Amino acid sequence: MFRTRLISGIVLVVIALAVIIAGGPVLAATLLVISVIGMNELYRAMDIGERKGISLLTLPAYLGCALYYLLLFLDIQTYTMTVLLGVLILLMAVYVFTFPRYRAEQVAGAFFGFVYVGVMLSCIYELRAMAGGAYLVWLIFLASWGSDTCAYCVGMLIGKHQMSPHLSPKKSVEGGIGGVVGAALLGAIYACAVSGALSGGIRAFSFAVICAVGALISMVGDLAASAIKRNHDIKDYGTLIPGHGGILDRFDSVIFVAPVIYYLALAWM
């Protein structure tokens, strides 16, 4: 199992490197596919719509996700809020005109999945498209996957106090602290490595703080995904990634970190 997980992790990193370096339509299309798969995993876990295929209820969410990414790619962010409201209105229309086929909580869940997975993940593309985004976008993965690795190592060595025994018994407070500190160190090292490539210069302190904040938020994302799984009595969201589970099992922290790093970069950089 460990070997399978390690190999899958390496493959994921290689794919991430290739896709993010390429940017543009390659990144937009890849994030759209990941978002749609993640939404589907979430909808199946939460019993929204039909178990197989796309239901009438989830169709507006999938179409809205595709349109949202298209607007970002065409650099027409002015209408992204229109898409959000449009998806909500369409979902309510399906709810009303097919009543009592769907329940109110299913409608709310369909909209939640669109925002939680599709919209939040799109911040990776938005950060990559910024000036200097080819370098800034890696902060998302340093703060999520980097902190996760540091937390795991520290937790294995000195972890004693459980962070959230009901959601994730193996996560420790010591591991969480190690993840935040590790992410800050990774951010500082990364700043020193790319400072010459970014206009205006970058202080190691700035990247360290951004990654530390991102690491804190990544824990929320990780535990939130675990909470949803516990609510619906499932171990993993899927089996797409050997040794890791589904898309949401691997991108749960990235989903939360992406918008935080994006807006911190906008404000700080």
Side-chain angles (χ1 to χ4, degrees):
M1 175 61 76
F2 176 76
R3 183 180 179 183
T4 301
R5 185 180 177 86
L6 178 62
I7 293 173
S8 298
I10 293 173
V11 171
L12 277 176
V13 171
V14 171
I15 293 174
L17 282 168
V19 170
I20 293 175
I21 290 173
V26 174
L27 179 58
T30 302
L31 286 174
L32 174 58
V33 171
I34 291 174
S35 296
V36 168
I37 295 174
M39 288 166 64
N40 181 257
E41 290 178 350
L42 184 66
Y43 291 155
R44 283 191 289 107
M46 297 177 68
D47 192 24
I48 296 173
E50 281 68 40
R51 279 287 179 179
K52 296 181 179 180
I54 299 174
S55 70
L56 186 60
L57 180 62
T58 58
L59 181 59
Y62 289 122
L63 292 178
C65 186
L67 182 56
Y68 195 93
Y69 274 96
L70 178 62
L71 290 177
L72 291 182
F73 176 66
L74 297 176
D75 199 21
I76 315 178
Q77 286 91 336
T78 306
Y79 297 102
T80 52
M81 180 57 73
T82 305
V83 174
L84 279 168
L85 297 176
V87 168
L88 180 58
I89 291 170
L90 284 175
L91 288 172
M92 292 304 294
V94 172
Y95 176 51
V96 169
F97 292 112
T98 61
F99 191 85
R101 182 175 178 180
Y102 301 109
R103 302 187 306 275
E105 56 268 29
Q106 289 180 302
V107 178
F111 185 69
F112 166 72
F114 163 57
V115 176
Y116 170 53
V117 184
V119 175
M120 292 178 76
L121 266 182
S122 72
C123 290
I124 296 176
Y125 178 83
E126 293 201 72
L127 182 55
R128 174 63 175 83
M130 282 175 55
Y135 300 95
L136 296 174
V137 71
W138 298 106
L139 296 177
I140 294 173
F141 299 96
L142 289 176
S144 54
W145 292 350
S147 68
D148 186 47
T149 301
C150 292
Y152 175 78
C153 293
V154 173
M156 288 291 290
L157 291 173
I158 60 173
K160 292 182 179 180
H161 302 88
Q162 291 180 317
M163 180 184 296
S164 181
H166 295 295
L167 293 179
S168 189
K170 293 182 179 180
K171 293 187 183 300
S172 65
V173 174
E174 293 82 0
I177 295 172
V180 173
V181 174
L185 288 174
L186 289 173
I189 294 170
Y190 182 65
C192 295
V194 303
S195 59
L198 291 170
S199 60
I202 290 296
R203 290 187 302 168
F205 175 74
S206 301
F207 272 24
V209 171
I210 289 175
C211 283
V213 173
L216 285 170
I217 300 300
S218 75
M219 296 181 203
V220 178
D222 193 358
L223 292 173
S226 295
I228 295 173
K229 288 190 287 188
R230 297 294 181 275
N231 280 159
H232 295 87
D233 297 319
I234 59 173
K235 183 179 182 296
D236 294 315
Y237 283 102
T239 57
L240 182 64
I241 307 174
H244 293 269
I247 285 292
L248 290 184
D249 294 296
R250 183 65 276 179
F251 285 84
D252 49 7
S253 58
V254 175
I255 287 172
F256 269 63
V257 172
V260 172
I261 298 294
Y262 170 61
Y263 286 109
L264 282 176
L266 277 180
W268 205 317
M269 298 297 105

